[in-house]
Amino acid sequence: MKANMIALEGVGKQYGGVQVLHPIDLAVREGEFVTLLGPSGSGKTTILSIIAGAIAPTQGRIILNGRDVSAVPPRERGLGMVFQNYALLPHLSVFDNVAFPLQVRGLAKGEIASRVANALERVGLVGYEKRKPRELSGGQQQRVSIARCIVYSPSVILMDEPLGALDKKLREQLQAEIKRLHRDLGTTVVYVTHDQEEALDLSDRVCLMNGGRIMQVGTPNDLYFEPVSEFVADFLGESNLLEGAVTAVNTVTTRDGMVLGVRSTEGCCVGSPVKVLIRPEKIGMTDAGAPAIATQRHNVTSGKIAQASFAGGTMRVDVLCEKGARLRLKTVSSRASELVGAPVVVSWATSDAMVLKN
Ligand SMILES: Nc1ncnc2c1ncn2[C@@H]1O[C@H](COP(=O)(O)OP(=O)(O)OP(=O)(O)O)[C@@H](O)[C@H]1O
Ligand SMILES: [Mg+2]
């Protein structure tokens, strides 16, 4: 396993006696892409600013590449920053904006020219050297600010909602570029967004924040399929949450009387109130007349289609189960919309039913 590039040890922040960031521990490994995800005001920018040195923490230490930099000023930390509002110098050309950090560092002219050319090539802006920022689209301006950041090869890049101001299509395109840049350059990236899809798409690990605390840190898969709480489950996408109580080992009976096999009830006593989480992608649906696919691993119930709508390449289908629960699932079948009211059988594996403690 690679060494830690960044380690926050008990880092917290207060403003006027209000703890906006409760003391957290967070380590980012060399070359890792870690995203701070969370609702507005959850403390994402505060963490990024503390790493950058723009804000001093009220408590805790910041270790960069093995060295305590808590008292080191921002410029000497050697980090690259990309912001949401691009922060380009309006009177300078694209070339001069990208060259700026190298000029500040006193590099020779020839070296600057070749590095700027390389950075502009990496972000797809060859030919735009002479333009001014106002002559560029939002996406192009954001590429300039990324080029200006990678041009001096910082070992860590901090990005605060860099794609927040762009439309969906452009955002997806730049996401792919940021991913490629990260892969090619091997730089450590700490990225901030409140967009869960963006976080899941880009990151090696996601740190989900709420109210100045870390809710869960893990791979996108961990957070999506193994959330530790209802907050995490809800924040990361659509979920079916069935309320009930533990009635036996690995068994939950829902309020409306469905008896469900679940992956594990470890740590819950019989009688404990819990919620069972099943992601829509994990629920299968067949026509009521089709041969049963039930096995011991499966939870099976019959119901009828209550609603169906398009969701990108798939159909989002709500099934009203015979005991009264409403389950959402995703299917590639476009026929579902013609079948509102049709009887169906839905099923899902015991291992895909996760227990969340109340
Ligand atoms: N200078 C300040 N003085 C007082 N409170 C502040 C200050 N800066 C930030 N805060 C508070 O700290 C909390 C965390 O702010 P932060 O900017 O880290 O949130 P965020 O997660 O980046 O949110 P957003 O998604 O809206 O950018 C907020 O409640 C904010 O009001
Ligand atoms: Mg912010």
Side-chain angles (χ1 to χ4, degrees):
M1 197 184 276
K2 293 213 166 151
N4 286 339
M5 180 57 97
I6 304 168
L8 302 181
E9 299 180 351
V11 166
K13 182 67 185 175
Q14 284 186 4
Y15 286 110
V18 180
Q19 193 89 33
V20 299
L21 181 65
H22 296 270
I24 59 158
D25 294 314
L26 180 68
V28 180
R29 288 188 284 274
E30 194 186 337
E32 201 177 17
F33 196 120
V34 169
T35 296
L36 305 172
L37 172 69
S40 184
S42 57
K44 307 178 298 291
T45 296
T46 302
I47 297 179
L48 214 65
S49 307
I50 288 173
I51 296 172
I55 292 179
T58 309
Q59 62 257 97
R61 300 199 305 159
I62 304 113
I63 314 292
L64 261 184
N65 214 354
R67 170 173 166 238
D68 187 339
V69 296
S70 307
V72 173
R75 291 208 36 191
E76 289 164 35
R77 294 191 187 188
L79 309 172
M81 290 281 303
V82 179
F83 302 96
Q84 175 173 4
N85 58 5
Y86 323 136
L88 299 175
L89 298 165
H91 56 286
L92 293 184
S93 67
V94 166
F95 182 96
D96 288 330
N97 263 284
V98 178
F100 188 72
L102 302 178
Q103 286 160 350
V104 170
R105 286 169 174 77
L107 267 69
K109 258 195 163 160
E111 174 74 12
I112 291 178
S114 76
R115 286 224 208 172
V116 171
N118 180 276
L120 288 176
E121 195 184 330
R122 282 192 183 277
V123 299
L125 279 183
V126 173
Y128 290 80
E129 291 80 356
K130 292 203 171 74
R131 296 232 199 146
K132 294 279 167 59
R134 66 169 183 278
E135 296 164 334
L136 300 172
S137 71
Q140 290 164 340
Q141 290 182 54
Q142 191 54 290
R143 280 179 216 199
V144 175
S145 73
I146 293 171
R148 184 184 53 184
C149 175
I150 62 173
V151 76
Y152 59 96
S153 311
S155 52
V156 175
I157 296 179
L158 308 175
M159 295 188 170
D160 196 352
E161 308 243 12
L163 311 182
L166 307 175
D167 66 53
K168 188 168 159 51
K169 191 113 194 250
L170 205 48
R171 222 165 49 218
E172 283 171 357
Q173 193 185 341
L174 274 173
Q175 268 171 35
E177 280 183 29
I178 289 173
K179 229 173 166 167
R180 182 177 49 75
L181 273 172
H182 172 249
R183 204 179 47 226
D184 291 355
L185 303 175
T187 317
T188 308
V189 179
V190 184
Y191 191 93
V192 166
T193 182
H194 58 259
D195 181 325
Q196 46 97 5
E197 275 182 47
E198 188 167 295
L200 296 177
D201 177 45
L202 286 173
S203 322
D204 295 318
R205 283 190 306 149
V206 176
C207 173
L208 181 59
M209 309 282 308
N210 192 31
R213 295 176 201 273
I214 295 178
M215 297 288 108
Q216 190 171 355
V217 185
T219 63
N221 222 37
D222 286 344
L223 266 72
Y224 192 77
F225 289 114
E226 322 246 330
V228 296
S229 65
E230 197 175 333
F231 176 84
V232 179
D234 263 352
F235 201 85
L236 288 173
E238 285 187 299
S239 46
N240 293 290
L241 285 168
L242 301 176
E243 283 186 53
V246 174
T247 43
V249 172
N250 299 345
T251 307
V252 170
T253 303
T254 66
R255 276 193 180 171
D256 43 26
M258 274 205 279
V259 180
L260 305 177
V262 297
R263 183 193 301 180
S264 169
T265 49
E266 213 182 303
C268 303
C269 317
V270 168
S272 304
V274 292
K275 283 183 183 167
V276 176
L277 163 75
I278 313 137
R279 290 292 186 193
E281 297 84 345
K282 297 292 189 183
I283 301 179
M285 180 178 73
T286 52
D287 293 347
I293 51 156
T295 69
Q296 288 240 301
R297 285 181 58 240
H298 277 82
N299 292 297
V300 182
T301 178
S302 50
K304 59 180 193 218
I305 296 180
Q307 198 182 323
S309 58
F310 268 108
T314 58
M315 296 293 296
R316 185 189 282 129
V317 179
D318 287 353
V319 172
L320 191 60
C321 301
E322 57 181 4
K323 293 260 166 92
R326 197 180 171 101
L327 290 178
R328 170 155 293 181
L329 57 98
K330 286 186 178 155
T331 167
V332 288
S333 164
S334 58
R335 268 181 341 121
S337 61
E338 301 159 19
L339 291 176
V340 170
V344 289
V345 172
V346 291
S347 63
W348 61 94
T350 301
S351 57
D352 292 327
M354 295 277 308
V355 166
L356 301 177
K357 283 185 224 176
N358 274 6

